[in-house]
Amino acid sequence: MPNPDTQKTPETADTRPSNFIRDIIAGHMDAQRFGGKVHTRFPPEPNGYLHIGHAKSIAVNFETAADYGGKCNLRFDDTNPIKEEQEYIDAIIQDIRWLGYDWEDRLFYASDYFDQLYEWAVQLVKQGKAYVDHLSPEEIREYRGTLTEPGKDSPYRNRSVEENLDLLERMRKGEFKEGECVLRAKIDMESPNINLRDPVMYRILHAAHHRTGDKWCIYPTYDWAHGQSDSIEGITHSICTLEFEDHRPLYDWYLNQLGVHHPQQIEFARLNLSYTVLSKRKLIRLVQEGRVAGWDDPRMPTISGMRRRGYPPAAIRTFANHVGVTKTNTVIELQLLEYFIRQHLNLHALRKMAVLKPLRVVIENYPEDQVEEMDAINNPEDEAAGTRKVPFSRVLYIEQDDFMEDPPKKFYRLAPGREVRLRNAYFVTCTDVIKDEDGNVVELRCTYDPATRGGDSPDGRKVKATLHWVSAAHALEAEVRLYDTLFTKENPNETGEGEDFTDFINPESLVVLEKCYIEPSLAGAEPGSRFQFERQGYFCVDPDSRDEKLVFNRTVPLKDTWAKLKKKQNK
Ligand code: ATP
Ligand code: MG
């Protein structure tokens, strides 16, 4: 796998690797189509929070435009008042900003164009290209036919222009009930493309819209609004996902009938991630059924979840650009995303010592009242990050997993009679093991070698392990939340008879460690700040964090070689 941090970041149309979208645009630039301009848009429906798939689409739209000196709009395709909420709009705006993209003053809403869309609908009626249909929704479905059978004309299909104009006007005025009638385009009920079988343009919804209030009781369908909205904004390249390929002939038809600016639609494959669901319908269920704590639960593949988890926006962008655009649907491994997260954090996160599952250690030959300030390097990848002092004293905590009373071969950490290094401090040897009445190890007794201060032995003596630790008297208590994949199944979207994707939710996707000990330099760490806990992984301060008790989310583990080894042995 290429290392994104040692590779030069390609930044312009000339240096970035080519892909099929760029090839198409380059062709248009050469031919001076659209006057040598590139103008894209990201068009979310405000009916949910953005997820990592959207991040890819955002990156494609904003970065493709930027590479050609063009612009990218943010437009909410807010045509369905029933499912849309201001909360979603606010969250989407916050998330795109956080990802690092800027639409300047070009924030638009499809609802801004409701008047224009209505005028255009009237125009199509006048051209004999649209009609009011009084079939019920069920009948419309029945008449539409199937993939193998052609549809049938509605008995209302040949109403006169005058009658249609009158009925459309009355629809708009609210004279009909929901479902009583719709406006349909008059295209071809026998078309092999079902999208062209007289698609619905307007339906009646007696519902207030979050932006237009009660002005309308008829709302354009997504298909009627989307292409025209792009046209109004002068979009040159309407980049979208593959499922819209079959809608392109319809969008083309509308634009051609109206004789207005005609963007070029280009489709690419959706991003899918292993162990993840990305359909908004499914994500909404996870939230509404309380299977996660909310849209920003760190286990969610949403941008807000990833932010809370500690994913740096730059790493998400690098990932999105790395996976690139293709024409075939594939599932990208979650590990690849995590790889980019680790790469970024390795370069930027300050190192700290934190003991997640504490085991008390008493250094018997260390003076009772003595405290030494040991020097620790903040980030070996970044000299400018400097060093800090970490207090060392007679009573410490180490990780329970770093000790075994009866160690198997290849377990090199602490064991009775064995010497190891305490990072940045001393060599210590375990001399005694103290247990409770159930036989659990509750404390270790050790001795230290004063000649090994800083972690080096003057006589060249070697130890096989270096452990992290904190001083019991100085450590802060913290809660640490460990996350695993939300699903146990590699592709939770694949469900058999009688199965639901929620059947595969991982019961161990969240493990809370309530009493961890962290080094005192973490006092006052701000929510959102990210650290490497040495030998453990990368962690981010949660918004739930309080001065009295910090709360950390594990962003990603470091690669745990011991766990891997154990797995291999168990096979
Ligand atoms: P749904 O999941 O209900 O189909 P959606 O994900 O299409 O909704 P939109 O708000 O319409 O939600 O998406 C905005 C844009 O993001 C669209 O252009 C869509 O094609 C794109 N997009 C959505 N999901 C992905 C994905 N997984 N990968 C890449 N692009 C995506
Ligand atoms: Mg959509």
Side-chain angles (χ1 to χ4, degrees):
M1 204 175 298
N3 178 341
D5 296 310
T6 53
Q7 271 184 337
K8 258 186 108 182
T9 315
E11 268 162 356
T12 66
D14 300 332
T15 56
R16 229 194 258 268
S18 160
N19 64 45
F20 77 94
I21 293 182
R22 276 164 209 287
D23 291 345
I24 292 171
I25 294 179
H28 291 166
M29 297 299 267
D30 287 346
Q32 280 292 302
R33 191 169 164 197
F34 305 117
K37 285 202 185 113
V38 176
H39 199 149
T40 61
R41 84 289 174 260
F42 175 66
E45 293 171 75
N47 57 4
Y49 279 57
L50 296 181
H51 55 58
I52 183 75
H54 293 118
K56 171 170 170 177
S57 177
I58 292 165
V60 169
N61 277 295
F62 278 92
E63 301 206 14
T64 305
D67 284 353
Y68 291 94
K71 292 175 175 160
C72 181
N73 298 354
L74 170 59
R75 181 181 72 245
F76 287 100
D77 273 340
D78 54 349
T79 54
N80 185 350
I82 315 262
K83 290 194 174 167
E84 295 163 6
E85 286 173 29
Q86 189 62 39
E87 177 197 345
Y88 297 137
I89 292 183
D90 297 341
I92 289 169
I93 287 177
Q94 185 192 4
D95 288 348
I96 306 175
R97 285 232 170 89
W98 179 77
L99 281 172
Y101 297 105
D102 184 11
W103 51 90
E104 297 168 327
D105 57 352
R106 295 178 310 279
L107 167 61
F108 301 115
Y109 295 85
S111 56
D112 295 339
Y113 314 135
F114 282 177
D115 285 307
Q116 175 69 75
L117 290 169
Y118 185 78
E119 252 173 63
W120 276 337
V122 169
Q123 181 186 331
L124 289 190
V125 170
K126 286 182 179 161
Q127 288 169 227
K129 299 290 183 184
Y131 62 99
V132 173
D133 194 353
H134 272 77
L135 288 182
S136 69
E138 299 74 48
E139 287 168 324
I140 289 181
R141 213 170 302 131
E142 242 169 71
Y143 275 62
R144 188 175 290 135
T146 63
L147 283 174
T148 49
E149 279 169 67
K152 275 192 305 190
D153 286 0
S154 160
Y156 304 101
R157 195 172 197 260
N158 292 314
R159 281 173 157 161
S160 69
V161 168
E162 291 67 39
E163 190 183 1
N164 282 319
L165 283 175
D166 177 57
L167 288 170
L168 176 59
E169 176 66 9
R170 288 170 54 198
M171 274 173 70
R172 188 183 65 78
K173 282 188 182 152
E175 291 184 20
F176 301 112
K177 291 197 295 284
E178 284 187 17
E180 206 173 333
C181 52
V182 293
L183 183 74
R184 298 179 72 174
K186 193 170 179 178
I187 308 181
D188 178 6
M189 287 308 292
E190 293 184 11
S191 171
N193 183 340
I194 294 188
N195 293 304
L196 295 178
R197 293 183 192 169
D198 293 10
V200 172
M201 296 167 60
Y202 276 99
R203 71 265 199 232
I204 297 168
L205 288 171
H206 290 284
H209 185 278
H210 58 96
R211 298 197 77 241
T212 58
D214 291 324
K215 178 172 178 191
W216 298 91
C217 62
I218 59 171
Y219 289 95
T221 54
Y222 183 88
D223 277 349
W224 168 238
H226 185 74
Q228 279 59 257
S229 299
D230 280 353
S231 174
I232 291 168
E233 292 177 15
I235 299 306
T236 57
H237 299 86
S238 300
I239 301 171
C240 61
T241 38
L242 281 184
E243 72 273 20
F244 290 104
E245 200 162 21
D246 290 343
H247 296 237
R248 175 155 36 95
L250 172 59
Y251 297 171
D252 288 344
W253 187 89
Y254 283 139
L255 295 166
N256 290 340
Q257 297 302 321
L258 295 170
V260 293
H261 165 72
H262 197 144
Q264 173 68 56
Q265 177 172 309
I266 307 172
E267 308 88 9
F268 69 95
R270 275 181 178 254
L271 172 74
N272 301 298
L273 266 189
S274 61
Y275 298 99
T276 307
V277 299
L278 291 181
S279 140
K280 268 192 230 163
R281 199 172 41 79
K282 289 179 179 160
L283 295 176
I284 283 178
R285 273 193 56 198
L286 291 172
V287 173
Q288 288 180 347
E289 294 173 14
R291 295 174 189 277
V292 293
W295 285 101
D296 69 344
D297 186 303
R299 292 168 292 177
M300 289 283 272
T302 50
I303 306 300
S304 51
M306 293 182 171
R307 173 166 61 236
R308 189 160 183 179
R309 174 93 168 238
Y311 286 16
I316 297 176
R317 292 199 305 268
T318 309
F319 167 77
N321 289 320
H322 175 89
V323 296
V325 288
T326 60
K327 272 284 189 188
T328 39
N329 281 305
T330 50
V331 180
I332 303 289
E333 290 192 44
L334 189 58
Q335 289 87 328
L336 181 66
L337 174 58
E338 292 185 343
Y339 164 83
F340 286 104
I341 305 300
R342 271 194 203 98
Q343 287 289 315
H344 183 97
L345 292 173
N346 179 45
L347 293 180
H348 301 289
L350 296 183
R351 275 53 171 175
K352 299 286 176 187
M353 291 201 284
V355 173
L356 304 191
K357 293 180 187 157
L359 174 60
R360 205 176 129 93
V361 174
V362 178
I363 315 284
E364 291 191 307
N365 60 340
Y366 195 85
E368 291 264 3
D369 310 321
Q370 186 170 312
V371 178
E372 280 177 276
E373 297 287 337
M374 311 309 265
D375 285 313
I377 291 173
N378 284 329
N379 184 352
E381 303 289 333
D382 178 9
E383 224 174 290
T387 60
R388 67 187 185 286
K389 301 283 186 195
V390 186
F392 183 90
S393 67
R394 182 177 151 92
V395 183
L396 311 169
Y397 290 112
I398 65 164
E399 227 41 84
Q400 286 168 20
D401 289 350
D402 280 337
F403 173 80
M404 277 182 114
E405 194 174 11
D406 188 14
K409 254 209 247 165
K410 296 203 174 162
F411 182 89
Y412 299 122
R413 310 173 204 176
L414 200 57
R418 191 181 286 175
E419 185 171 53
V420 297
R421 176 188 293 110
L422 293 182
R423 184 146 170 79
N424 306 311
Y426 292 105
F427 283 15
V428 295
T429 304
C430 177
T431 51
D432 203 2
V433 181
I434 307 209
K435 297 181 185 173
D436 62 13
E437 20 338 333
D438 302 324
N440 300 311
V441 176
V442 291
E443 187 180 296
L444 303 179
R445 296 272 156 169
C446 293
T447 55
Y448 85 116
D449 176 357
T452 57
R453 193 176 196 282
D456 292 317
S457 87
D459 58 8
R461 198 158 87 237
K462 294 259 187 293
V463 287
K464 280 194 171 161
T466 300
L467 311 186
H468 62 274
W469 51 273
V470 292
S471 163
H474 303 88
L476 310 174
E477 214 178 288
E479 175 180 315
V480 172
R481 301 173 182 169
L482 304 178
Y483 301 98
D484 196 355
T485 56
L486 186 53
F487 295 95
T488 50
K489 193 167 189 260
E490 184 155 0
N491 185 353
N493 297 298
E494 252 171 26
T495 46
E497 269 292 297
E499 285 178 344
D500 186 63
F501 76 101
T502 55
D503 298 344
F504 306 108
I505 288 182
N506 180 1
E508 285 160 31
S509 57
L510 169 61
V511 173
V512 179
L513 304 176
E514 286 183 10
K515 209 167 175 176
C516 307
Y517 290 107
I518 59 178
E519 65 167 78
S521 71
L522 281 162
E526 290 291 327
S529 43
R530 310 178 185 97
F531 301 96
Q532 184 194 94
F533 290 171
E534 291 197 29
R535 301 177 61 235
Q536 301 283 2
Y538 295 97
F539 293 77
C540 179
V541 182
D542 190 81
D544 287 347
S545 210
R546 298 285 167 269
D547 281 348
E548 316 80 77
K549 187 160 188 173
L550 292 174
V551 179
F552 289 87
N553 295 313
R554 184 171 66 190
T555 309
V556 274
L558 293 178
K559 273 171 241 154
D560 185 346
T561 42
W562 172 244
K564 243 190 234 157
L565 196 66
K566 268 198 292 193
K567 227 185 203 165
K568 230 192 245 163
Q569 283 170 344
N570 292 341
K571 266 186 192 156

